[in-house]
Amino acid sequence: MSTKLPLTELPAPEATPGLRRSLKRFDITAMAVAAVISFDTVGQIATGGGEAATWTAAIAVFFLIPYALLFAETGAAFPQEGGPYMWVKLALGRSAAALTTLFYWVTNPIWLGGSLVFLAAETWDGFVFPLGSGTFADYAFKLAFVWAAILTAVVSLSRGKWITTAGAIVKVLSLALFTLTAVLYGAQHGFQGLADARFTPTTAGFLALVPILLFAYVGFEAPNAAGEEMHDPQRDVPAALGRSATVAACCYLLPVLALLAVVPAENVTGVGGFMEGARLVFGVYGGAAGPLLTLTAVMFVFALLTQGSAWMIVSDRMQAMAAADGGFFSRALGAFHPRLGTPVRTNLLSGVVATLFMLAAMQLADGDTAAVFTVVLTVAVTTLLLSYLVVVPALVVLRLRRPDVPRPYQVPFGDRGFVACGVLVYAWILIGSWSALFPGVLEGLFGIEYVFQEIWGVSRLAFETFTLGTVALLLLIGVAGLAVARRERADA
């Protein structure tokens, strides 16, 4: 028996009250750029040395392109508010959609309260004004950072989009300035980092880099969470996604190459890699180097802030739609403010989760910022990649079961092309998820030495407790949310 819904039963755009069409093609592109280009991962990728550039380029071709094709078609065909939540619901049902959305959503307050705020504080402390570690100033800065990002998501999208757009512009300009300055520095002093860089890809490098590279490249579907707030999603989503994906690929590959060209790989750190590289190459500006470096640090922190804001704007809408649809605890959690048109209650919940995670992360590894940064980022990588293990098959199901839905943009070669892209993307996500959850296991299978304590700065027990404990807790929360929502629907 066919399981597909009649076309008339699909949720229609503009089905959510209080929403206003605020996003045009440029806004969608800027929001995707603000969300996807991750300053915190540039240094982390560069720690892989020369082969990091090789794998960055390879994954752009063999993952980013098919990934972009999948989501460009689906986003244009199904522009309902909530984006991936609606896609999974239509393909696999409300329960699967609610659990998947929980993992997708919680990535962002974890990331905001973890790696983003730690990197921002480290940068501010080292280049703008000293904060110390664990001091009152340190806590105050991190709390202000988290809640500034949340408040940006609370204001109406017609205003909030300009903050994320400014962040996207600042981010691209900062990376372009760094890359150009590195070239100037190399021309004067020589590209010393290239002498020791090894660009030949290895299995060990692949297994170490694939989770962070996938995390860096995913998220272009995020603006679809505000699908009913776009002026013309059927035409704008594919074009905006193509442009933002191209910009993102360049903004990862070129700065990583520039960083490796002037800084030996062994001196690149995940926390301070970008800014430490900037400190070195800005010497070409002579007496202006100090003020310019401080300005770059402020821009860097602002870009991190708007990066968190962009993800809060879109992921909170997904989670709010899950709640409003009766899939996660109370429908009241998914209410959109009648004047602002934003899910204020979900926004505030994100702020609370980010704050709690930040406070917990500060206690990990006895205040070792680098270890905290790496482990917290891995938790965010894990939860986001796990959500795609459901989202990607849902896209394939929709493609095969819903050929009646108009598709303004289509993946080349029809069903076969779409399924092939889906299988390739799913294989990448599966490898990345496993490597993030269980680092060192695949290395052991290939006979690659993997000294856990040296690599992560914490024991395997502490690492697995933090990551697997987070996943288990999320599953429990998700099941509880489904049960409460089911009871609420029954009582309605």
Side-chain angles (χ1 to χ4, degrees), residues 443-466:
E443 284 83 351
L445 293 177
F446 287 97
I448 300 170
E449 184 180 4
Y450 196 91
V451 184
F452 201 95
Q453 182 76 36
E454 291 183 8
I455 293 173
W456 292 99
V458 296
S459 67
R460 177 177 286 277
L461 177 61
F463 179 93
E464 299 293 1
T465 298
F466 206 63

Side-chain angles (χ1 to χ4, degrees), residues 135-471:
T135 64
F136 175 81
D138 187 26
Y139 276 93
F141 178 91
K142 289 172 180 173
L143 287 171
F145 183 93
V146 166
W147 284 99
I150 297 300
L151 291 177
T152 302
V154 168
V155 301
S156 64
L157 189 57
S158 61
R159 292 182 172 86
K161 70 177 183 180
W162 293 113
I163 300 174
T164 58
T165 296
I169 294 172
V170 166
K171 190 176 296 187
V172 173
L173 288 178
S174 298
L175 290 170
L177 175 63
F178 171 79
T179 302
L180 176 61
T181 306
V183 172
L184 295 176
Y185 180 90
Q188 291 185 15
H189 303 281
F191 296 96
Q192 301 177 14
L194 294 179
D196 298 323
R198 298 178 181 178
F199 292 92
T200 304
T202 65
T203 302
F206 169 79
L207 294 175
L209 288 167
V210 66
I212 193 66
L213 281 171
L214 294 181
F215 180 74
Y217 279 140
V218 297
F220 291 101
E221 76 291 339
N224 262 102
E228 293 173 30
E229 297 165 84
M230 298 177 182
H231 280 275
D232 190 358
Q234 286 82 4
R235 295 181 58 188
D236 291 344
V237 166
L241 195 151
R243 294 174 183 177
S244 57
T246 302
V247 171
C250 293
C251 285
Y252 280 122
L253 183 58
L254 296 180
V256 166
L257 279 171
L259 184 60
L260 292 172
V262 297
V263 181
E266 62 271 16
N267 295 334
V268 177
T269 65
V271 175
F274 179 84
M275 287 305 302
E276 288 300 331
R279 189 200 297 272
L280 173 66
V281 300
F282 277 21
V284 300
Y285 299 118
L292 188 57
L293 186 62
T294 301
L295 176 61
T296 301
V298 173
M299 294 170 64
F300 186 85
V301 172
F302 176 72
L304 291 175
L305 175 65
T306 56
Q307 187 173 326
S309 299
W311 275 106
M312 289 299 101
I313 288 172
V314 295
S315 65
D316 283 355
R317 278 167 167 76
M318 282 180 57
Q319 187 60 63
M321 289 304 297
D325 191 48
F328 186 73
F329 288 104
S330 172
R331 291 181 189 271
L333 183 62
F336 280 69
H337 193 279
R339 181 171 58 84
L340 299 175
T342 54
V344 175
R345 292 170 183 170
T346 304
N347 295 147
L348 297 178
L349 177 61
S350 290
V352 171
V353 173
T355 299
L356 293 176
F357 201 84
M358 180 270 290
L359 295 174
M362 290 188 72
Q363 305 305 314
L364 184 67
D366 297 323
D368 185 336
T369 304
V372 172
F373 172 84
T374 304
V375 175
V376 169
L377 181 58
T378 299
V379 175
V381 168
T382 303
T383 53
L384 183 62
L385 292 184
L386 287 175
S387 72
Y388 285 100
L389 291 177
V390 181
V391 173
V392 172
L395 305 190
V396 176
V397 170
L398 286 178
R399 184 65 166 82
L400 299 179
R401 292 183 181 176
R402 301 313 312 266
D404 52 323
V405 176
R407 295 173 184 268
Y409 170 81
Q410 295 188 28
V411 173
F413 308 110
D415 287 349
R416 291 183 179 179
F418 197 99
V419 171
C421 287
V423 170
L424 183 57
V425 169
Y426 194 83
W428 281 108
I429 297 294
L430 192 62
I431 294 171
S433 300
W434 181 271
S435 298
L437 272 177
F438 306 105
V441 174
L442 292 178
E443 284 83 351
L445 293 177
F446 287 97
I448 300 170
E449 184 180 4
Y450 196 91
V451 184
F452 201 95
Q453 182 76 36
E454 291 183 8
I455 293 173
W456 292 99
V458 296
S459 67
R460 177 177 286 277
L461 177 61
F463 179 93
E464 299 293 1
T465 298
F466 206 63
T467 54
L468 295 181
T470 299
V471 172

